[in-house]
Amino acid sequence: MGVLMSKKQQVQKCTSVVSAFQQGVKERAPSTTNQGERSGEEGEGPAESLPPPNPKEEGEHGEADSKVGPSGTSQQAAAPAPAPTRDECKVNQEAWNRLRDGKGVEPEELDKTGHQLTPPAFVRPKRDANDDQPVEIALGQREQPVNDEMCEVCEVWTANDLFPCRTCTRVFHDGCLRELGYLRTELLQEMRETAHTATGWSCYYCDNVNLLLTEEEMYSLMETFKQCKIIPESCLVSDELLQYRHFVSKQLFEKDLSDEQEEEVLAQFAALDPEKRGQIEWSDFLYHESLGVLRKFRTENSLVRLLSAKERDHVRLVFVGLDLDKDGVVTGAETRWAQQSWFQKFSKESQSCNVSISHVGPISESSPASSSSERSSQKDDNRPVSWEDFLRESAIYILAARPNSLAMHIRLPL
């Protein structure tokens, strides 16, 4: 996966980074007088740089919500949905194209007066012929990847003013990210607070796990969304998620969900709605479905190949910490605990394992806090797990922990 940069962007790079860097420095200045003025400016900047706030698109979303189901975010549900106009169809098609390409906004749609940098164009990966073959990753040989020296956006080095990604080796200026429009004001502040800590921060490449899908996998997912009348970039309520799951079940198995399966869907909805707002964000729903595609169509060996060097080193440290007798084998119970540990980023109050697991418990019925020891068989608890098996079984959960969102995008193991 690479980034395509236009000649125009390269020509503008010097002036762009100076402007972005100066604004980033001003934001961190201790002057309280200037902070009040800048807070108003920042409140306007990110709003312009998010996926285009097109009035026609917003109107279309409202109409589409009334057709999909009882969305709590639309006040036009009771009104009959008029036939879509040509302009509305164009806006909807543009939204599907952005979903296909993994973009939030087309470069030509940016407000050039407020943003000088051009967003990158994402290239979806292609699977190799040996993608499903086992990959040899030595336990005792750490890779210790070194972060890049220059900002991924402007390619300029400014020492301590660069913020690293916890997943890959890319680094960024906060001003460049603001100019791109990828982070709102509150998310920029969160990045500044966590990027240099043990919690870490995922860049816009790694945070978006949907970019791990190939074009064929993404096309299949988009077709399912269209058949279920899921509108991209819109929130979903629990009834809409249930309706979507019923449709998928009928398509795949030619039967409705059972009562137990409906309870699992609602439990997943709660995991995707950690703030209990009664709806899930589009990005969280998309990431959850993308991980489901990976889990269904990829082998464990293929998922291991998606892990970054930083993630592989972290897995090594966890396995070595569990393998107290140094025989290269851990138990099934220890493997499940490790799969829980990837989500320790959700607990910012403490780095202890107990706090992290107790936080996960109320969200998922399958967590240790909800008596997983009673649910798991003694045989599975004591089964030996080698380093290779440990890595393969944990890969999907490591990928699921990439997003910065507090939502849990995959159900934890029983």
Side-chain angles (χ1 to χ4, degrees):
M1 179 170 62
V3 177
L4 304 178
M5 299 177 64
S6 64
K7 293 182 179 179
K8 182 178 179 181
Q9 180 182 355
Q10 296 175 1
V11 174
Q12 295 177 336
K13 189 174 299 178
C14 292
T15 56
S16 301
V17 66
V18 170
S19 173
F21 177 66
Q22 287 177 345
Q23 292 183 29
V25 172
K26 289 180 181 179
E27 287 182 359
R28 294 192 294 273
S31 173
T32 56
T33 303
N34 293 336
Q35 283 180 356
E37 298 175 358
R38 284 193 301 273
S39 63
E41 297 175 358
E42 290 179 358
E44 298 174 3
E48 297 175 357
S49 58
L50 288 173
N54 194 323
K56 293 183 291 184
E57 186 171 355
E58 293 176 358
E60 190 227 355
H61 285 178
E63 296 170 6
D65 286 345
S66 65
K67 292 183 286 184
V68 173
S71 174
T73 60
S74 175
Q75 298 180 358
Q76 301 178 357
T85 64
R86 180 178 300 179
D87 290 342
E88 289 172 339
C89 292
K90 180 180 179 181
V91 170
N92 195 19
Q93 185 60 42
E94 290 174 350
W96 283 113
N97 291 340
R98 287 195 298 273
L99 173 60
R100 177 197 64 203
D101 299 333
K103 299 178 182 178
V105 61
E106 298 292 341
E108 59 271 15
E109 295 176 358
L110 270 181
D111 180 7
K112 297 300 182 181
T113 61
H115 304 280
Q116 303 176 36
L117 300 178
T118 303
F122 299 110
V123 179
R124 291 197 174 274
K126 295 182 179 180
R127 297 190 63 181
D128 297 329
N130 61 344
D131 197 50
D132 296 328
Q133 299 301 316
V135 54
E136 184 177 353
I137 299 178
L139 173 61
Q141 186 177 354
R142 294 189 60 188
E143 300 170 63
Q144 297 180 322
V146 179
N147 288 328
D148 298 343
E149 294 183 351
M150 297 186 296
C151 173
E152 174 71 14
V153 179
C154 66
E155 297 184 359
V156 173
W157 176 81
T158 52
N160 295 331
D161 293 301
L162 292 169
F163 296 89
C165 173
R166 68 167 172 243
T167 303
C168 65
T169 59
R170 299 182 182 94
V171 294
F172 301 84
H173 291 118
D174 53 352
C176 290
L177 289 172
R178 184 186 61 254
E179 288 296 312
L180 281 173
Y182 278 108
L183 295 180
R184 301 189 301 273
T185 303
E186 62 272 18
L187 297 181
L188 272 172
Q189 183 60 32
E190 181 179 346
M191 178 204 68
R192 297 185 187 115
E193 294 174 352
T194 61
H196 292 289
T197 67
T199 300
W201 163 82
S202 287
C203 68
Y204 51 80
Y205 292 96
C206 302
D207 176 81
N208 188 355
V209 294
N210 175 257
L211 295 177
L212 298 174
L213 302 186
T214 64
E215 291 185 1
E216 295 79 10
E217 292 167 338
M218 190 61 214
Y219 177 82
S220 174
L221 184 59
M222 286 173 55
E223 286 300 307
T224 303
F225 287 166
K226 288 181 179 180
Q227 293 177 20
C228 297
K229 299 181 180 179
I230 297 293
I231 305 300
E233 302 172 11
S234 61
C235 299
L236 281 80
V237 297
S238 58
D239 287 344
E240 291 172 336
L241 185 61
L242 277 173
Q243 179 181 347
Y244 171 76
R245 286 297 178 204
H246 273 291
F247 177 86
V248 173
S249 179
K250 286 183 178 180
Q251 290 291 104
L252 297 179
F253 309 108
E254 298 182 352
K255 62 179 181 180
D256 290 327
L257 296 176
S258 64
D259 292 342
E260 182 179 353
Q261 289 173 325
E262 285 190 353
E263 291 180 0
E264 292 179 359
V265 173
L266 294 177
Q268 181 62 68
F269 181 89
L272 294 172
D273 180 27
E275 298 179 359
K276 309 302 179 185
R277 295 184 301 173
Q279 64 181 22
I280 55 179
E281 297 293 332
W282 165 253
S283 59
D284 291 326
F285 171 72
L286 179 61
Y287 296 169
H288 168 67
E289 291 301 309
S290 301
L291 290 166
V293 171
L294 291 175
R295 201 174 193 178
K296 179 178 180 182
F297 296 107
R298 301 284 189 97
T299 63
E300 291 181 340
N301 290 327
S302 176
L303 296 178
V304 170
R305 293 178 183 273
L306 296 177
L307 301 180
S308 68
K310 287 185 178 180
E311 290 171 327
R312 292 192 295 267
D313 272 357
H314 184 54
V315 180
R316 289 184 176 97
L317 290 177
V318 172
F319 186 88
V320 171
L322 294 174
D323 185 19
L324 299 179
D325 53 6
K326 308 303 179 184
D327 62 349
V329 176
V330 297
T331 65
E334 290 171 333
T335 301
R336 286 197 308 276
W337 176 90
Q339 292 165 354
Q340 302 272 358
S341 74
W342 310 135
F343 299 94
Q344 286 186 11
K345 63 176 182 176
F346 297 116
S347 178
K348 296 183 179 180
E349 298 177 357
S350 172
Q351 293 296 322
S352 71
C353 302
N354 291 334
V355 173
S356 176
I357 291 178
S358 65
H359 178 82
V360 173
I363 297 179
S364 172
E365 295 177 355
S366 58
S367 67
S370 58
S371 303
S372 67
S373 58
E374 299 177 2
R375 300 165 181 260
S376 303
S377 65
Q378 189 70 24
K379 179 180 179 180
D380 186 68
D381 284 343
N382 296 327
R383 69 181 174 93
V385 180
S386 66
W387 157 244
E388 292 78 10
D389 292 337
F390 180 86
L391 186 61
R392 285 193 294 266
E393 293 179 17
S394 300
I396 187 63
Y397 300 102
I398 300 172
L399 296 174
R402 283 186 178 183
N404 297 305
S405 169
L406 294 178
M408 298 189 69
H409 301 99
I410 196 168
R411 291 296 302 276
L412 293 167
L414 291 174

